[in-house]
Amino acid sequence: MPALGLELYIKHAGQFSLGVISDRSIFSILKTTHFYRSIVHALVLSMHFYGNATLFAESIGITGFCLYVMTYALLTFGFLSGNSVYYFALNLTAASCVLVGLTASFNLASALIQIFWISMSLTGITLRLARG
């Protein structure tokens, strides 16, 4: 099966490694708290390398914007179904990235919109996975 194309630096046993998350494993990874700790470690490491947390947060936010646009284009041109788990996973990732980007320049209305998209995406993923 094709991978979603998400690559993360994951901290495991004190070592960082580059891992590709496949579409089979992404949901099992998301269920674990170790995944969230790994993301925090990756963000802290990246901020250390960038040396500028604001620039890093803005970069993550722009990545989220690009994911939103890509998801909408894939949906519009029929490469992605609105009922697909991938659609909700991409929207969840995009909204999370934009929310991180808002830490550099906070806007309450934008943050509320991103929180709404995150909650709707999680609901959509949960409903699709429950259907089997």
Side-chain angles (χ1 to χ4, degrees):
M1 299 190 91
L4 283 177
L6 298 175
E7 294 182 347
L8 297 172
Y9 285 96
I10 299 172
K11 183 177 182 183
H12 181 68
Q15 305 244 344
F16 284 93
S17 62
L18 181 65
V20 177
I21 301 173
S22 69
D23 54 352
R24 285 184 183 175
S25 65
I26 189 168
F27 300 109
S28 61
I29 291 171
L30 286 172
K31 290 178 187 176
T32 66
T33 56
H34 179 71
F35 173 75
Y36 296 110
R37 281 182 286 172
S38 298
I39 295 297
V40 170
H41 287 290
L43 290 174
V44 169
L45 181 67
S46 298
M47 281 189 258
H48 175 71
F49 286 136
Y50 275 89
N52 186 344
T54 301
L55 175 63
F56 179 70
E58 288 176 353
S59 300
I60 296 290
I62 291 169
T63 301
F65 160 76
C66 293
L67 282 172
Y68 269 136
V69 171
M70 180 190 72
T71 303
Y72 190 67
L74 290 172
L75 184 66
T76 300
F77 294 117
F79 292 106
L80 189 64
S81 168
N83 289 321
S84 164
V85 173
Y86 298 119
Y87 172 74
F88 292 102
L90 286 168
N91 274 329
L92 173 64
T93 305
S96 299
C97 288
V98 171
L99 193 59
V100 169
L102 287 173
T103 61
S105 177
F106 187 75
N107 179 315
L108 180 60
S110 294
L112 292 173
I113 291 168
Q114 301 317 310
I115 291 169
F116 170 79
W117 278 112
I118 290 169
S119 62
M120 287 287 91
S121 295
L122 289 172
T123 302
I125 290 170
T126 303
L127 291 175
R128 269 46 175 199
L129 292 178
R131 290 182 193 163

